[in-house]
Amino acid sequence: MTATTETTTVAGLLEELAALDDPRAREVNLRHGDDHGVNLGKLRAIAKRLKTQQDLAHELWATGDTAARLLSLLICRPKDFSRDELDTMLREARAPKVQDWLVNYVVKKSPHTEDLRLLWFADEDPVVASAGWMLTVDRVAKKPEGLDLDGLLDTIEARMKDAPERLQWAMNHCLAQIGIEHPALRARALEIGERLEVLKDYPTPPGCTSPFAPVWITEMVRRKEG
């Protein structure tokens, strides 16, 4: 790629991102496993300036820098990635925010979504598996046809309590989504959530909905029906 200005080169963008790094924000982000301190609003402003640049997106991703990878995901062209490229990227994306944006902003817009959902869902690596569950949540909400919802509840019931954190969060989201979207399974979803008590004591800011599935399901159903 031919650069026209300093800030459209990878080196220039890395300098720009480094200048935006706030030590206090980095400290907060590190508690959640994200090793960057760049305000996401400022990151989006850079992406808006750059617009879509697939080659530059590849180069930014290759740096391994978390902020650069987040920027990469904002300027890429999701449909241009192959299935194998997305699989490799997911396995490289260990930072939670990078994984979240990769799944939600890129994989969900690619033609390989379902293939990758099935591949990741069964993976032995719980971080990779959590991405499969995240994509399953989307299918539960938007295209549940063909999903074994009872089977998903069986798996959640058996494995969620002792699952590693990120996989547990994704399973819990799936449990809540099933309860919210599928009235015939709502009672079972509520019962599983009550019995397992996953995230029951999670600190929730005022005005936000608790991630504890029974509370989450009840509140979202109230909003939909209200």
Side-chain angles (χ1 to χ4, degrees):
M1 189 190 77
T2 302
T4 55
T5 68
E6 182 184 4
T7 53
T8 57
T9 67
V10 171
L13 288 166
L14 288 175
E15 288 182 10
E16 186 174 359
L17 293 171
L20 292 172
D21 195 274
D22 181 342
R24 289 173 296 180
R26 176 176 285 271
E27 182 181 351
V28 172
N29 289 336
L30 279 172
R31 296 176 199 157
H32 304 286
D34 291 307
D35 57 340
H36 79 93
V38 180
N39 177 279
L40 296 182
K42 293 179 180 179
L43 193 75
R44 291 180 188 280
I46 296 173
K48 185 176 181 180
R49 183 187 81 218
L50 294 172
K51 301 183 172 60
T52 302
Q53 297 193 47
Q54 185 73 354
D55 289 343
L56 181 58
H58 277 290
E59 293 176 39
L60 287 168
W61 182 271
T63 67
D65 179 81
T66 294
R69 284 185 163 179
L70 291 173
L71 180 59
S72 166
L73 296 172
L74 293 175
I75 67 169
C76 72
R77 191 176 292 106
K79 293 182 180 179
D80 283 5
F81 290 109
S82 71
R83 174 187 177 279
D84 288 345
E85 282 179 315
L86 291 172
D87 181 51
T88 298
M89 290 168 70
L90 189 281
R91 294 174 192 279
E92 294 174 346
R94 308 309 288 186
K97 183 63 71 177
V98 174
Q99 184 192 48
D100 180 62
W101 282 20
L102 175 61
V103 171
N104 286 295
Y105 296 169
V106 181
V107 177
K108 287 182 181 179
K109 298 177 182 178
S110 86
H112 311 293
T113 308
E114 184 62 12
D115 283 348
L116 291 170
R117 184 187 75 83
L118 294 171
L119 177 68
W120 295 339
F121 188 88
D123 203 278
E124 293 183 0
D125 183 336
V127 174
V128 175
S130 71
W133 279 87
M134 289 163 66
L135 292 173
T136 300
V137 169
D138 200 53
R139 270 208 60 184
V140 167
K142 298 177 181 177
K143 194 179 178 182
E145 297 78 19
L147 283 180
D148 179 3
L149 297 177
D150 281 304
L152 288 172
L153 291 177
D154 289 343
T155 301
I156 291 167
E157 189 171 22
R159 295 176 51 200
M160 183 173 73
K161 181 77 171 178
D162 299 316
E165 182 179 12
R166 281 160 72 179
L167 179 55
Q168 185 183 71
W169 271 89
M171 286 182 165
N172 183 71
H173 192 171
C174 191
L175 174 65
Q177 203 70 51
I178 291 171
I180 293 164
E181 301 291 344
H182 302 279
L185 296 172
R186 187 169 298 149
R188 186 183 177 200
L190 289 167
E191 189 277 328
I192 291 172
E194 290 285 3
R195 178 159 41 82
L196 297 185
E197 298 186 333
V198 169
L199 301 175
K200 182 175 183 178
D201 299 319
Y202 190 82
T204 305
C208 295
T209 302
S210 169
F212 179 45
V215 174
W216 190 353
I217 293 167
T218 301
E219 174 59 20
M220 295 309 294
V221 170
R222 181 191 68 79
R223 293 183 191 180
K224 287 178 70 173
E225 295 179 350

